[in-house]
Amino acid sequence: MSLTFNLEADQQLTREVVIAVLKASGVNCIVEEEWGLSCNFPRSNMLFAFRNNNNSFPTEVLAEGISSPALWKVGARLSFTYVVANYDDCGADLHLFLNNLMELNSAYFILSFQYEGVYAIRDEKGFKIFEKF
């Protein structure tokens, strides 16, 4: 069984920014893929994948449960697949990634659990966590 958190971000979240955030989060073995980037976080072994939009996916937010439509278009989709046995470490790594992202870039984003429930949002109103992850 796996648990996947999805992050949908605006166009400010570029490949270069993601690489910088991953490195700031302690990830060194980043794999360049045809479709984007992948890696595992060293502490938790959480699997990470990044895809930026090159007209290959819809630009509207897919996450269900937001009270009003996002005022921005999705330019990047990231996934964080937890290793259930390392749940707490995965959560700590995801929090570290988000903190580093907010320090290094001003991208708006929505974090959801498998696109079915919103856990956190960063938008023009700031950053808010709705559910523990």
Side-chain angles (χ1 to χ4, degrees):
M1 176 180 179
S2 64
L3 306 172
T4 302
F5 286 87
N6 300 96
L7 190 142
E8 300 173 272
D10 70 17
Q11 297 171 341
Q12 295 179 76
L13 189 56
T14 64
R15 176 186 210 97
E16 294 74 27
V17 170
V18 169
I19 290 170
V21 173
L22 287 168
K23 287 182 178 179
S25 301
V27 177
N28 296 315
C29 297
I30 301 165
V31 179
E32 298 274 345
E33 306 282 3
E34 181 179 313
W35 45 263
L37 302 170
S38 69
C39 66
N40 289 80
F41 283 75
R43 170 179 38 183
S44 64
N45 200 32
M46 176 172 60
L47 176 63
F48 169 86
F50 163 79
R51 292 170 181 82
N52 61 342
N53 191 3
N54 54 0
N55 299 318
S56 62
F57 59 73
T59 59
E60 68 273 357
V61 171
L62 298 178
E64 299 171 2
I66 55 175
S67 57
S68 59
L71 301 176
W72 43 269
K73 297 200 180 298
V74 175
R77 296 194 194 282
L78 295 74
S79 63
F80 302 84
T81 303
Y82 277 35
V83 175
V84 176
N86 301 336
Y87 185 87
D88 291 337
D89 287 337
C90 290
D93 282 342
L94 180 49
H95 279 272
L96 177 61
F97 181 91
L98 293 179
N99 288 334
N100 288 330
L101 171 58
M102 290 187 290
E103 284 184 23
L104 296 172
N105 192 267
S106 58
Y108 292 163
F109 61 80
I110 294 176
L111 178 71
S112 66
F113 175 69
Q114 300 177 173
Y115 297 113
E116 295 176 2
V118 175
Y119 278 62
I121 292 179
R122 182 186 193 194
D123 60 14
E124 64 279 353
K125 297 175 192 168
F127 178 65
K128 183 169 183 179
I129 294 176
F130 298 99
E131 299 278 342
K132 183 180 179 228
F133 55 92

